[in-house]
Amino acid sequence: MTTPRLAVLGSINVDHIMNISQFPKPGETIIGHQYKIAFGGKGANQAVACGRSGADITFIACVGDDAIGNEIISQLKTDNIHIDAISIIPQTPTGVAMILVNEQGENVISIVAGANGALTPTHFQQYHHIIEHADALLMQLESPLETVFEAAKLAKSHQTKVILNPAPAQALSDDFLSFIDVITPNETEAEILTGVSVHDEAGAAKAADILHHKGIKQVLITLGSRGVWFSEQGKGMLIPGFRVDAIDTIAAGDTFNGAFVTAILEGKPSVEAIHFAHAAAAIAVTRHGAQSSVPWRHEIESFLAERA
C-alpha cells in the first residue's frame, strides 16, 4: 500500500527566546534569566511534528541566504522531511521571531518575515506538482496570504485535503474558507473568524457551526489545557487533553497540528487522531523551545501506553 503523501506550506524562522519571570509593561525593563537561539516558524514546527510523527512529508518554504538558513535546512532533513522545495532566497535574511516566555510557560511573540515573504504565488508555481500529487496539505498564515489562498484552491481542484491552522490570527474571506476541509483555530482565532466569543463549550459550538456554514467539514477549536472542541457535520464534543506540568507552550499548537494530520493520513478515526495529537502536545509543553520540544513517534506511543 502506498504511504499517503503530505505537503506542508509555511514559514521558517530562527527563534530568539528569553525566559523571564513576568511580561514587561510598556516602558518597563525586565531582567531575563535564560536566553537561547532555536529553529522555529509555524510551518517548520508543524513540518517537524509531521516528520517525527511518521508522515511522508514535503515542506514548501523559503530561508535566507545566510548561515542560519543553511543550518535549518540541514536540521530539517534529519527530521524525516523532504527538503527539495525549500528555497534559499539571495540577499535576504531568514525569518526571525522574538519570543518572551514567562514563569507560567505562556509566551508572547513578534515576527519579521524575512525570506518567508518571498514565497509568493509566482515563486510557488514551480511547486504546484507537489500539491497536485499530495493526499493532504497543511498550512498556516505566516506565509503570504495570496499564496496560501492559491495553494488551497489548487489542492481543492486535485482532491487534496486542505487543513488550515489559521495562525497568526486574522480575518479570512468566506471565499478562502470555502476551500478548507479542516480548520484548527484556538479561541482567539475562532473569535476573529466568526465574531463569537469562545469562553466555554457553548461558544465553541456556536463558532464551529458558523465555520461549518462557510463550507468547512471539520472544526477543531483548541482550548488550551481544557482540550479541543471537535465538531463534524454539526455535532460537537469536548475532547480533553492530558494533564502535565507545562514549562513552555511555544510549539504546543504546532505539535498538535502536525501529529493530528499525520494520524489522519494513517487512517485513524478523528477522535483517535486528536488523542494522538494531544499526547504529542502534552510532551512538547514539558520541554523548552519550539522544534527542540517536538517528540518523536515512539515517545508519543510510549506516553499513550503509560496512560492507557
Side-chain angles (χ1 to χ4, degrees):
M1 186 174 71
T2 304
T3 302
R5 288 171 290 190
L6 171 64
V8 175
L9 185 150
S11 57
I12 295 176
N13 292 327
V14 54
D15 293 344
H16 295 263
I17 306 167
M18 182 177 291
N19 292 88
I20 55 179
S21 58
Q22 61 190 38
F23 297 134
K25 300 173 184 177
E28 182 183 15
T29 298
I30 295 289
I31 303 299
H33 51 80
Q34 186 177 11
Y35 167 77
K36 68 177 179 178
I37 297 174
F39 300 155
K42 294 194 71 64
N45 295 344
Q46 292 182 21
V48 168
C50 294
R52 293 184 186 178
S53 296
D56 179 3
I57 169 193
T58 298
F59 186 25
I60 303 171
C62 297
V63 296
D65 184 17
D66 47 29
I68 200 74
N70 284 294
E71 282 185 49
I72 290 171
I73 291 175
S74 297
Q75 177 59 47
L76 292 173
K77 189 174 182 180
T78 69
D79 289 316
N80 297 333
I81 296 169
H82 301 305
I83 61 169
D84 294 345
I86 301 177
S87 303
I88 298 175
I89 307 302
Q91 299 179 326
T92 305
T94 297
V96 174
M98 308 299 291
I99 304 172
L100 298 179
V101 183
N102 69 13
E103 289 181 343
Q104 288 71 49
E106 300 168 324
N107 62 75
V108 292
I109 304 173
S110 179
I111 296 170
V112 175
N116 294 310
L119 188 53
T120 62
T122 300
H123 181 89
F124 169 61
Q125 285 180 358
Q126 63 190 304
Y127 301 122
H128 280 197
H129 64 284
I130 295 173
I131 307 297
E132 293 167 0
H133 294 99
D135 295 282
L137 168 65
L138 172 61
M139 297 187 292
Q140 322 76 33
L141 300 177
E142 286 183 349
S143 303
L145 192 59
E146 59 269 26
T147 307
V148 178
F149 186 28
E150 181 173 319
K153 289 193 293 184
L154 178 67
K156 198 72 170 180
S157 68
H158 287 83
Q159 292 75 54
T160 299
K161 178 178 257 186
V162 182
I163 302 97
L164 178 69
N165 175 224
Q170 59 182 288
L172 299 172
S173 70
D174 288 353
D175 187 23
F176 184 179
L177 293 173
S178 70
F179 294 104
I180 307 305
D181 296 299
V182 183
I183 196 163
T184 63
N186 63 20
E187 296 125 305
T188 301
E189 293 149 6
E191 181 173 353
I192 287 175
L193 293 174
T194 66
V196 175
S197 296
V198 182
H199 297 305
D200 52 25
E201 293 178 30
K206 187 175 180 180
D209 285 344
I210 291 172
L211 291 169
H212 287 315
H213 281 105
K214 295 178 185 293
I216 301 171
K217 297 173 184 175
Q218 290 187 330
V219 177
L220 286 74
I221 301 179
T222 56
L223 304 172
S225 60
R226 288 175 289 165
V228 166
W229 181 262
F230 171 62
S231 183
E232 184 175 30
Q233 297 178 338
K235 296 181 180 179
M237 68 178 80
L238 180 67
I239 303 177
F242 295 96
R243 290 189 177 278
V244 295
D245 293 325
I247 62 171
D248 187 341
T249 61
I250 286 175
D254 295 332
T255 301
F256 178 92
N257 276 273
F260 171 75
V261 173
T262 300
I264 287 294
L265 282 175
E266 292 173 351
K268 287 183 171 63
S270 297
V271 173
E272 185 179 340
I274 291 171
H275 282 303
F276 182 81
H278 271 325
I283 296 169
V285 300
T286 64
R287 301 170 175 176
H288 288 290
Q291 292 165 30
S292 57
S293 72
V294 177
W296 289 86
R297 185 184 188 93
H298 70 274
E299 295 177 297
I300 302 169
E301 291 175 340
S302 295
F303 181 96
L304 287 168
E306 290 171 1
R307 287 156 179 78

